[in-house]
Amino acid sequence: MIRRYLLPRPLHPFSWWGWAIALAVAASSASNPLLLLGIIAVASLVVMARRADSPWAKAFKLYLWLGVFIVILRVGFRIVFGGGDGPTILFNLPEVPLPTWVRGIRLLGSVSLEAVLTGLYDGLRLATIIICVGAANALANPKKLLASLPGALYELGTIMVVAVSALPQLGDSLQRVMRARKLRRSPEARTRRQRLRVVETIIVPVLSDALERSLSLAASMDVRGYGRSGTANPLDRALGLALGLGAMSLIAVWAYRYLANAPDTFVLGFPVLSTALLLLGLAAAGLALWVSGRTVQRTRYRPIRWGLAETLVVASGVAAALLIRLIARYGDATALFPSIHPFTWPELTLPLLGVLAIAALPAFITPPPYAAAPRRQPA
Amino acid sequence: MIRFEDITFRYASSEALRLDSVNFEIEEGELCLVVGPTGSGKSTLLGCINNLVPRFTGGVRTGRVVIDGQDTTLLQPRELATTVGYVGQDPLAGFVTDTVEEELAYSMEQLGFAPAEMRRRVEETLDLLGIAELRSRDLRTLSGGQQQRVAIGSVLASSPKVLVLDEPTSALDPIAAEEVLAMISRLVRDLGTTVVIAEHRMERVIEFADSVLLVSSTVQHGETREILAVSPIKPPLVELGTRMGWQPLPLTIREGRRLANPQRRAWADEPPGLPVPTPRDEPKLTAKDIIVRYGPKVAVAGVDVTLHAGEVTALMGRNGCGKSSLMWALHGAGRRDGGTVSLGDETRISLVPQTPSDLLYLTSVAAECEQSDQEAGLPEGTTLALLRRLVPGIEPEAHPRDLSEGQKLAVVLAVELAGNPQVVLLDEPTRGLDYGAKEALSDIVAGMAREGRAVLIATHDVEMVAQTCERVIVMAEGEVVSDGPTREVLANSALLATQVAKVANPTPVLTVEEFVHAAG
Amino acid sequence: MRARPATLFPALLLALAGAWVTAPSADAATVTDGHCSTDTGVTVVVDHQELGGGIVVKCVEGYEPGASGLEVIRAAGFAPEGTVHDGSGFVCRLGGRPGVNETIPLASDPGYRETCVDTPPNGAFWAYFHADNGGAWTFSNLGAGNREAIPGGYEAFSFSLNRSEGANPAPGVQPSHEVVKPTPTPAQTIAAPAPAPEPTRTVEPRPKDESPSAPRKTTRPTVSANPVPPSDAPTPEPTTETPTPTPTLAPTPEASSPSPSVSAPESPEVADEPTTVSATPTASATVVTTPAPPVDAVVEDNDPPVGTFIGLGAVGALALGGGAVWWRRRGL
């Protein structure tokens, strides 16, 4: 049975997204750089082990570079706009004098270790969240994700799928047109009007091309049955609408109370009224989607069933996030938030190592993806 | 199976009728070939079968369409998805998903088939089309022929009774075209699907066709030989048969050879005198060791080419063998990673790309001509006059995108020729051109050669090459495989021989004119 | 400027490698307990309010001219910490309060802990006040780092818990003191505070308001957390009176509550020697109130603890694992 469980298959995209978002939530409630680096390493490990062989799976390293860029940008900002507020000065840059009415902003000047460290910790937090989202992207085919949307949101998904597919074609088109431009002898574009002309020579063919392609695509989809209206009756539609509006109102009220820190009674650390509102709102939203989707006659080819592996993946992510929250709220939170001034070395305690281990479980306990086709050697 | 009753159609903005009282009936299990000059309404007619015209394109249509005994006049195209499958010209533009498997299943998903049923049908379709090993490939990485097969498969999976194909092989090289057409004929024979196919290069399809629908000023439907006898456009073999007075008209090479037996035996004893190309000695362009690479892929691997004044050369080869890359490298606007190109003094070179509309961005033909005059520093009206000489009858106020393929090509040609280039390169100019337009192009090219220009044409169209070009260069995998007079290269090749050459084999007669002339 | 970030990392490594560059600015400042008695020193008041920890008053003299309120407060030894998100622009923690494990009973979240990662909520934050000598407390509309400290004036932080907008509680100390011109000879000062010792034996300053000696009108009764320190206050050696209570502020809140050292300055006087009596606020010379060390406590040794190495090891192992899997799946 274990062998059957471990047969290669793709996992449901929602499970990977659930895991990744839980990890991102865990990362946002900590500032320990070792923990954050650990989460990044865990995300990378799971991606390397379980990603499919598709173009966006290979784009994961772009997210890693983006993370590096964010950290550098944050630290740079701290250095440029107010780096000298800590007691430990690293080095001095010449300060750029600003008029006195620009209070609160200081350009360059001395750079303190505290400022650099806060920039580093903050940037690392944001980078970790982004890398978690990138991991979800790499592990779960976004198009499959859109296809897994409930029936009522299918049109939205299709729009996005088509838009995403159109981009490479636009790129090809642009390349071709730019190359073709060289065939016409165009005089030097000196005046602004001439330069606008140059833009026109590029944009018009590309957009016309795109328009024609989109018409062909629409015809092809139409011919294959896209857009058949379902068997909805007025009652169903009204019910769906009412549920949808109700869901939105409930969630709006919850959001307002949450952001305004409205007072509430607490049971086990959860605000009673707010949680009730949120759950009711989500239930109503789910019901609305189900009612609207019921009448749509569309099936899915080789749908991915939600199995034990998916539950385990989501559970590991949620467990990691819960553990971090428990430590932050009820345990000794010093490991999660190493202080910068006075500086304490960030360390990974046993519970935090446990969190990383749990978060890394999906790399080992889930079925692997399909094996890639053997690469052809160039002749 | 398909019956049109008194179908009339016009676009809402004009009074001119595109289709006027069309009546015909296509039987079940027939392969019907739709022929006609460009712009005569073939696509419109095909669109009427599954109601894309007028539902998708707009316009006013009257009359009745009956498919399989059911009146479908008022139905939407998507409701006819299980009855009629329609495949357009550009398969890549019609793909919705990423992989072959998903594309095949897309139609069934929309129609609400059960997952198990979908799975079964997808597997069957993969086997039927012979693309089973491509099932998880990205659609963009497939070759043209494979893409076209997947496009056909994607409408086939829901088992429609009628299959409508609008110029499926126009973008394919001869080998790929053969594959697709063979598959289609197998569908007709094994599954009994009714297939309606519009094709410019009739010679490929004519042997499979059960009936022909001729769309010109009127629409005539009938048995193949009947219609071809009266059709203004015929494939070379039929043209030959007509000229030689053979009965019944030969549709296949085998029939042609049988009918040509007398001539062939006469030539076996006494070979006919065939025109010999004049030697050309004034090189206009000399290229040595051209290399073009895109990363690890080598498109052109060290090619030497010399083009002479007044010489028309054909560049042939499979899709992806490096023809386009070579031309762009010779022109200079494209990538060249090695080698030298030397033009004579005062020699200008111009290139007409594969998609001529990439060059056109203004809103009227007249504006394009004016722009071209300005760019070349010529007196106003030069380009327009040149265009009129090339192809008369183009409205100066027409929007370039509304023109037919041949007309667009003519406009771009006029723009390029305005600068009086001595070397002219044409990249696949015959795509989408019907016989008439190809004739016109042949005349234009001959005119250019007479003026002393050197012309290089990259093309798949063997018939046109036989007609127009005196030298052929064949490329494969980035290298030149053969380079010599047309007669030598084409006549003895199995794949590149013209229909007439195959009929007259081993005598190297290439065109109908030569055959008739040699037959006395 | 573009090349600077590249030089940052070696600089960072150097700084962390062990040589602590201590704050240069504070070496000139001297810190005493209680209100200042000059018109050049700045009195720093920290009122913990409902947070627990009482009111701490310190006087900082001899700081750099033009120093900001934040620098003065840092010089006073309160170790202000900013947040990760805002930098030190928003003071989140003073003297380690509120600590990372300390639960603050916010109305909207009874189990709230201040992690100093994001800006503190408006129901629980350190409110920044300032006042001139003899003036009234003004809630500052600039950050502590953005305005200069008023010489002879008062800088204060008061913890605002569950207050509505504009109702932040001012510190429970009157912002006024008598300005005494600094006198050179310690002898004079001996005479002056003579009366002082007796009343302060109990070290409960409040009941008796020693108007003659104590230049400060001292505290209101809200200094509640006092009980602990007075016990050790009288005992310490004259020379080392104040240091014991005052300095170790930062690390653990509970342990170092001696901060309500309002009494402390008096305590030296508890010692009998008249010489030590000279520990009047003004005679900062003899009262060896060790200038509150700017680098507070916990800097035991500069080697990172084991946890850091374990952490680095774990992260490294995970990264190597990821690399190994990637290598294998590449098919090479």
Side-chain angles (χ1 to χ4, degrees):
Chain A
M1 210 189 74
I2 302 247
R3 265 192 225 129
R4 173 112 193 246
Y5 172 81
L6 287 176
L7 282 177
R9 69 177 183 92
L11 288 184
H12 200 287
F14 282 173
S15 67
W16 287 121
W17 276 94
W19 169 84
I21 290 182
L23 227 54
V25 165
S28 69
S29 27
S31 74
N32 184 338
L34 279 182
L35 179 67
L36 295 174
L37 282 175
I39 292 180
I40 292 178
V42 161
S44 307
L45 174 65
V46 174
V47 165
M48 293 302 156
R50 288 295 179 260
R51 70 176 170 185
D53 230 12
S54 57
W56 38 69
K58 310 248 185 300
F60 179 65
K61 66 170 176 290
L62 287 178
Y63 285 95
L64 291 176
W65 281 114
L66 185 60
V68 168
F69 174 70
I70 287 175
V71 170
I72 292 182
L73 203 65
R74 275 289 157 122
V75 172
F77 268 173
R78 285 292 157 80
I79 291 178
V80 169
F81 293 108
D85 290 339
T88 321
I89 304 292
L90 287 176
F91 52 85
N92 278 302
L93 298 170
E95 175 155 354
V96 174
L98 286 172
T100 42
W101 48 266
V102 188
R103 296 274 197 126
I105 301 181
R106 198 209 28 211
L107 282 185
L108 302 177
S110 51
V111 175
S112 70
L113 180 66
E114 282 72 24
V116 168
L117 280 182
T118 51
L120 192 67
Y121 286 18
D122 199 21
L124 206 52
R125 215 161 55 111
L126 186 58
T128 311
I129 293 174
I130 288 187
I131 288 176
C132 287
V133 170
N137 232 4
L139 289 162
N141 188 339
K143 291 196 175 178
K144 277 263 182 228
L145 179 72
L146 290 172
S148 312
L149 285 179
L153 296 178
Y154 181 74
E155 259 81 23
L156 211 64
T158 309
I159 293 175
M160 299 217 271
V161 162
V162 168
V164 165
S165 320
L167 285 179
Q169 288 170 354
L170 216 57
D172 287 340
S173 195
L174 190 65
Q175 260 187 336
R176 250 191 16 237
V177 169
M178 305 268 312
R179 207 172 56 150
R181 276 195 66 241
K182 299 193 203 154
L183 299 174
R184 273 184 102 148
R185 297 158 305 276
S186 14
E188 273 290 311
R190 256 174 253 109
T191 67
R192 183 208 238 123
R193 167 177 275 175
Q194 287 173 336
R195 269 192 284 264
L196 283 180
R197 245 306 155 72
V198 166
V199 170
E200 188 189 8
T201 65
I202 300 176
I203 288 199
V204 168
V206 169
L207 288 184
S208 312
D209 229 8
L211 190 64
E212 281 173 18
R213 256 189 225 276
S214 65
L215 284 176
S216 301
L217 181 63
S220 137
M221 288 167 70
D222 200 3
V223 155
R224 289 190 273 175
Y226 178 79
R228 273 151 67 115
S229 61
T231 56
N233 53 23
L235 181 62
D236 275 337
R237 272 195 271 264
L239 189 59
L241 188 64
L243 281 172
L245 284 176
M248 282 207 288
S249 332
L250 285 172
I251 294 184
V253 172
W254 168 81
Y256 174 75
R257 300 191 82 243
Y258 178 76
L259 292 171
N261 289 324
D264 208 340
T265 47
F266 278 78
V267 169
L268 282 183
F270 286 108
V272 171
L273 186 58
S274 292
T275 314
L277 278 174
L278 181 63
L279 288 176
L280 265 177
L282 287 177
L287 216 61
L289 286 176
W290 179 76
V291 165
S292 329
R294 204 173 41 179
T295 60
V296 170
Q297 312 168 302
R298 212 174 285 111
T299 46
R300 237 171 273 146
Y301 175 67
R302 290 181 91 173
I304 301 180
R305 300 247 161 266
W306 185 279
L308 177 63
E310 280 81 1
T311 317
L312 285 178
V313 166
V314 177
S316 74
V318 169
L322 267 183
L323 213 58
I324 297 257
R325 180 170 166 83
L326 280 178
I327 297 176
R329 294 281 287 196
Y330 303 110
D332 180 7
T334 38
L336 285 177
F337 305 102
S339 74
I340 292 179
H341 174 68
F343 178 76
T344 50
W345 287 100
E347 39 182 305
L348 279 188
T349 57
L350 210 54
L352 293 185
L353 284 175
V355 164
L356 287 182
I358 292 176
L361 278 179
F364 305 106
I365 60 172
T366 55
Y370 289 131
R375 274 168 226 277
R376 266 189 309 175
Q377 300 299 324
Chain B
M1 173 59 77
I2 304 174
R3 188 165 74 238
F4 273 35
E5 292 175 11
D6 217 10
I7 294 285
T8 308
F9 176 77
R10 67 175 174 88
Y11 283 111
S13 54
S14 80
E15 288 299 323
L17 294 175
R18 296 286 285 164
L19 297 173
D20 194 358
S21 290
V22 176
N23 285 285
F24 64 86
E25 181 161 357
I26 299 178
E27 300 294 332
E28 187 180 350
E30 246 184 53
L31 191 153
C32 177
L33 175 65
V34 180
V35 299
T38 336
S40 58
K42 289 197 308 294
S43 291
T44 314
L45 190 71
L46 290 178
C48 285
I49 299 181
N50 72 338
N51 292 342
L52 274 181
V53 170
R55 294 286 181 187
F56 195 79
T57 59
V60 178
R61 187 183 79 175
T62 59
R64 223 158 75 104
V65 178
V66 178
I67 297 187
D68 200 18
Q70 190 196 4
D71 186 345
T72 60
T73 318
L74 297 175
L75 293 181
Q76 292 272 3
R78 60 186 86 107
E79 290 162 33
L80 285 171
T82 38
T83 322
V84 179
Y86 180 96
V87 180
Q89 276 188 27
D90 187 3
L92 198 53
F95 285 154
V96 189
T97 62
D98 281 332
T99 60
V100 172
E101 216 180 340
E102 289 166 24
E103 191 68 32
L104 294 180
Y106 183 75
S107 171
M108 294 188 281
E109 283 181 354
Q110 303 304 312
L111 297 173
F113 281 47
E117 177 76 14
M118 280 199 277
R119 189 75 204 271
R120 188 180 64 80
R121 280 167 182 264
V122 165
E123 298 299 328
E124 278 177 11
T125 312
L126 284 171
D127 284 328
L128 193 63
L129 301 176
I131 48 176
E133 70 275 6
L134 302 174
R135 69 186 309 154
S136 41
R137 284 271 299 270
D138 190 351
L139 290 166
R140 274 193 301 269
T141 60
L142 297 177
S143 74
Q146 290 164 334
Q147 280 176 353
Q148 193 63 274
R149 277 189 281 169
V150 171
I152 295 175
S154 69
V155 299
L156 214 52
S158 44
S159 301
K161 304 194 189 81
V162 178
L163 196 57
V164 176
L165 301 159
D166 195 352
E167 303 206 23
T169 64
S170 62
L172 304 179
D173 60 42
I175 321 281
E178 292 285 330
E179 285 171 1
V180 172
L181 291 170
M183 183 199 80
I184 293 172
S185 92
R186 196 172 74 226
L187 284 176
V188 172
R189 283 200 306 269
D190 291 347
L191 294 186
T193 320
T194 312
V195 175
V196 182
I197 179 169
E199 192 44 80
H200 276 307
R201 293 197 234 174
M202 293 163 47
E203 59 264 19
R204 294 178 182 158
V205 198
I206 206 79
E207 51 188 301
F208 305 119
D210 296 312
S211 65
V212 170
L213 198 58
L214 175 63
V215 180
S216 53
S217 46
T218 59
V219 172
Q220 294 171 290
H221 179 243
E223 200 259 322
T224 315
R225 289 189 174 86
E226 276 172 39
I227 302 288
L228 281 181
V230 301
S231 159
I233 38 174
K234 307 185 225 277
L237 186 56
V238 174
E239 174 86 31
L240 181 65
T242 319
R243 291 279 288 276
M244 299 291 292
W246 291 336
Q247 286 296 329
L249 278 178
L251 292 183
T252 64
I253 302 293
R254 220 165 38 157
E255 291 168 18
R257 281 174 75 81
R258 243 180 263 133
L259 288 165
N261 254 334
Q263 282 78 19
R264 280 178 40 230
R265 264 182 277 139
W267 291 334
D269 304 325
E270 194 184 309
L274 295 167
V276 172
T278 51
R280 308 281 181 187
D281 51 7
E282 189 193 332
K284 286 282 186 181
L285 179 145
T286 317
K288 289 212 179 311
D289 274 335
I290 306 281
I291 297 180
V292 176
R293 327 167 55 122
Y294 300 107
K297 181 175 178 329
V298 179
V300 179
V303 164
D304 298 339
V305 167
T306 312
L307 300 176
H308 305 94
E311 183 182 47
V312 182
T313 316
L315 188 58
M316 305 185 75
R318 209 172 291 134
N319 270 349
C321 69
K323 303 196 298 287
S324 273
S325 310
L326 178 62
M327 290 194 122
W328 282 91
L330 289 178
H331 179 273
R335 226 188 131 98
R336 189 171 75 220
D337 295 299
T340 55
V341 174
S342 46
L343 303 162
D345 304 327
E346 292 288 328
T347 310
R348 274 192 286 269
I349 179 171
S350 65
L351 168 67
V352 174
Q354 251 178 24
T355 29
S357 46
D358 283 346
L359 280 162
L360 305 173
Y361 61 92
L362 294 170
T363 50
S364 74
V365 171
E368 290 282 353
C369 293
E370 270 175 46
Q371 178 72 16
S372 152
D373 289 332
Q374 268 178 29
E375 286 166 3
L378 296 169
E380 213 176 292
T382 319
T383 316
L384 196 53
L386 185 55
L387 177 60
R388 288 222 176 83
R389 266 212 315 278
L390 291 176
V391 170
I394 296 187
E395 285 278 338
E397 295 311 314
H399 193 288
R401 298 247 161 200
D402 287 336
L403 300 174
S404 72
E405 285 301 319
Q407 290 169 328
K408 274 189 234 172
L409 180 65
V411 172
V412 172
L413 206 50
V415 167
E416 291 290 328
L417 287 177
N420 199 22
Q422 294 301 304
V423 179
V424 180
L425 310 172
L426 302 167
D427 195 354
E428 304 258 6
T430 56
R431 188 176 292 187
L433 293 184
D434 63 358
Y435 289 130
K438 274 193 262 187
E439 291 255 343
L441 182 64
S442 290
D443 292 337
I444 297 171
V445 166
M448 286 198 286
R450 271 196 303 274
E451 289 165 14
R453 302 185 218 260
V455 182
L456 179 67
I457 311 180
T459 180
H460 290 306
D461 192 339
V462 184
E463 304 294 336
M464 193 202 155
V465 168
Q467 193 90 3
T468 328
C469 308
E470 53 190 64
R471 178 174 159 221
V472 172
I473 302 177
V474 180
M475 279 184 75
E477 300 243 330
E479 293 173 341
V480 169
V481 169
S482 56
D483 178 359
T486 313
R487 200 176 303 282
E488 281 175 30
V489 175
L490 292 191
N492 294 324
S493 151
L495 228 43
L496 295 178
T498 62
Q499 286 201 315
V500 175
K502 287 183 197 167
V503 164
N505 197 14
T507 313
V509 184
L510 291 180
T511 64
V512 173
E513 284 299 331
E514 285 176 6
F515 192 101
V516 171
H517 184 81
Chain C
M1 279 308 112
R2 289 287 164 265
R4 289 300 177 152
T7 64
L8 174 66
F9 294 118
L12 200 63
L13 287 175
L14 269 178
L16 297 181
W20 266 131
V21 179
T22 58
S25 55
D27 47 19
T30 44
V31 180
T32 51
D33 298 323
H35 296 238
C36 288
S37 55
T38 62
D39 59 358
T40 53
V42 175
T43 313
V44 178
V45 177
V46 171
D47 187 352
H48 293 83
Q49 308 277 7
E50 292 97 333
L51 202 56
I55 309 183
V56 187
V57 182
K58 297 235 173 223
C59 170
V60 179
E61 295 264 7
Y63 55 87
E64 267 176 46
S68 67
L70 192 65
E71 282 163 5
V72 167
I73 289 172
R74 186 176 295 133
F78 286 109
E81 268 185 59
T83 62
V84 172
H85 183 262
D86 305 310
S88 44
F90 197 109
V91 170
C92 168
R93 199 169 273 160
L94 277 180
R97 304 294 307 286
V100 74
N101 286 331
E102 195 174 325
T103 312
I104 301 174
L106 256 190
S108 59
D109 186 5
Y112 181 75
R113 287 187 178 189
E114 185 57 71
T115 56
C116 284
V117 171
D118 286 319
T119 317
N122 59 358
F125 72 104
W126 283 107
Y128 176 50
F129 289 86
H130 59 81
D132 295 324
N133 187 5
W137 288 114
T138 325
F139 181 68
S140 169
N141 55 4
L142 291 171
N146 295 333
R147 50 176 297 280
E148 286 180 18
I150 308 167
Y154 284 75
E155 303 282 324
F157 273 96
S158 165
F159 197 79
S160 164
L161 179 66
N162 291 329
R163 299 276 209 272
S164 58
E165 189 98 20
N168 300 304
V173 172
Q174 284 301 317
S176 72
H177 63 269
E178 244 177 55
V179 177
V180 174
K181 292 289 173 246
T183 49
T185 50
Q188 283 179 317
T189 53
I190 292 177
E198 297 87 36
T200 60
R201 190 152 317 257
T202 56
V203 192
E204 294 304 314
R206 291 169 286 29
K208 313 159 181 73
D209 206 332
E210 298 87 3
S211 11
S213 65
R216 77 197 145 283
K217 325 281 196 288
T218 25
T219 52
R220 276 190 297 120
T222 46
V223 184
S224 41
N226 277 357
V228 177
S231 48
D232 31 343
T235 42
E237 294 72 27
T239 46
T240 59
E241 314 86 347
T242 38
T244 28
T246 30
T248 55
L249 280 177
T252 48
E254 278 62 51
S256 62
S257 51
S259 38
S261 44
V262 180
S263 51
E266 313 249 33
S267 53
E269 286 126 349
V270 171
D272 339 277
E273 298 91 352
T275 47
T276 57
V277 161
S278 65
T280 36
T282 48
S284 48
T286 46
V287 176
V288 178
T289 53
T290 54
V295 179
D296 333 282
V298 192
V299 184
E300 325 82 3
D301 53 305
N302 285 329
D303 292 339
V306 174
T308 307
F309 290 116
I310 294 181
L312 282 171
V315 172
L318 281 170
L320 274 177
V325 174
W326 171 74
W327 186 257
R328 239 186 28 178
R329 283 194 73 193
R330 273 182 80 205
L332 288 170

